[in-house]
Amino acid sequence: MKKYLCLIVFITVLAGCKTETKKVAPEEELNILEKVALAHGMEHWNKVKEIRFTFNVDRDTMHFERAWVWNTRSQEVRGISRGDTVMYNRKGVDSLSQRADAAFINDKYWLLAPINITWDKDNLTYSVEEKVPAPISNDSLTKLTVVYGNDGGYTPGDAYDFYLGEDFLVREWVFRRGNSPEPSSVSTWEGYKELSGLNISTMHKNKEGNFSLYFTDVEVIQ
């Protein structure tokens, strides 16, 4: 394995990599996690064989990017950053691949967080508030707060406030490290694209306009 350089994780997340999709009976009432996941295309997940994407961050004059290819069936992952390549399998992460896996989990969470929260449902608690002013737009939105448990993952105990539209698509979110009352970061969710049934936000910006995190070369292969 080549040395994997320049690991930059702006928001490290706990999210595991369970990829089961819960099938909900028509008569069963959906909880808000399921409604959010379905709005972002969860019902199409079982058809997905591979996802390719490039994770980009622009902060002031700095640009950083890394590209990933993820085989969702075999769990093989290939990452490329500044000319260095790493390949590993998520079923057998070891001391050599752990750093790359932490970066992958971070980037994948940004890409798929609205679906990922249903995969992580056994390791989180959540609460809902209606008609809460969003931190950037000040729009009155539904606030879904997700708090991860203190065991497992790379950064246990983190919290996320998802601000949802009436269609249950994420419009903004707040990341709070260790469930701190103060936000660690706040950004938009915009630039949605439908790719093989998945609704993916490709652009995230802060209020000040000096930070953007975005995805390019996104492919969802069925």
Side-chain angles (χ1 to χ4, degrees):
M1 180 184 300
K2 294 184 178 180
K3 184 177 181 182
Y4 195 72
L5 299 178
C6 302
L7 176 66
I8 300 178
V9 179
F10 290 95
I11 295 180
T12 308
V13 297
L14 170 139
C17 196
K18 297 180 181 178
T19 57
E20 300 88 351
T21 299
K22 179 181 179 181
K23 294 183 179 179
V24 180
E27 67 275 9
E28 183 180 349
E29 184 176 353
L30 300 175
N31 64 42
I32 193 167
L33 298 183
E34 294 164 335
K35 290 178 181 178
V36 171
L38 287 170
H40 292 81
M42 183 184 72
E43 69 272 27
H44 300 283
W45 181 259
N46 285 339
K47 299 177 183 178
V48 176
K49 297 178 181 177
E50 185 176 273
I51 295 183
R52 303 179 180 189
F53 62 93
T54 300
F55 171 91
N56 302 268
V57 173
D58 291 341
R59 187 188 296 273
D60 297 322
T61 60
M62 184 277 293
H63 173 78
F64 172 78
E65 66 181 61
R66 55 190 168 210
W68 300 101
V69 178
W70 175 32
N71 185 311
T72 63
R73 305 290 174 83
S74 69
Q75 292 301 318
E76 292 286 339
V77 176
R78 181 172 78 246
I80 302 172
S81 178
R82 297 186 179 180
D84 291 312
T85 301
V86 61
M87 297 183 68
Y88 70 100
N89 192 298
R90 295 215 70 247
K91 295 178 181 178
V93 176
D94 57 21
S95 59
L96 295 176
S97 58
Q98 189 175 51
R99 193 177 182 193
D101 188 59
F104 170 72
I105 290 298
N106 175 80
D107 300 358
K108 175 180 71 72
Y109 199 82
W110 274 97
L111 188 75
L112 298 172
I115 295 176
N116 220 126
I117 55 178
T118 63
W119 300 337
D120 299 337
K121 59 184 173 54
D122 294 333
N123 192 37
L124 58 79
T125 58
Y126 66 90
S127 60
V128 181
E129 296 178 67
E130 302 290 347
K131 297 182 180 180
V132 178
I136 295 178
S137 65
N138 206 39
D139 292 342
S140 182
L141 301 175
T142 298
K143 177 183 176 183
L144 167 64
T145 295
V146 170
V147 181
Y148 279 87
N150 291 319
D151 298 317
Y154 291 108
T155 57
D158 288 345
Y160 301 84
D161 301 318
F162 296 83
Y163 290 82
L164 311 173
E166 293 183 358
D167 53 5
F168 292 101
L169 290 180
V170 181
R171 302 301 182 189
E172 302 178 21
W173 80 343
V174 174
F175 164 65
R176 294 182 289 111
R177 188 180 302 279
N179 199 17
S180 167
E182 297 300 322
S184 302
S185 71
V186 182
S187 63
T188 63
W189 279 60
E190 54 188 289
Y192 273 94
K193 293 182 179 180
E194 183 176 338
L195 300 168
S196 299
L198 302 185
N199 288 323
I200 294 176
S201 171
T202 60
M203 175 61 70
H204 310 278
K205 299 177 181 178
N206 68 355
K207 187 174 184 177
E208 295 75 20
N210 60 357
F211 168 85
S212 60
L213 186 155
Y214 55 99
F215 295 96
T216 54
D217 305 318
V218 184
E219 296 181 63
V220 179
I221 300 169
Q222 295 184 340

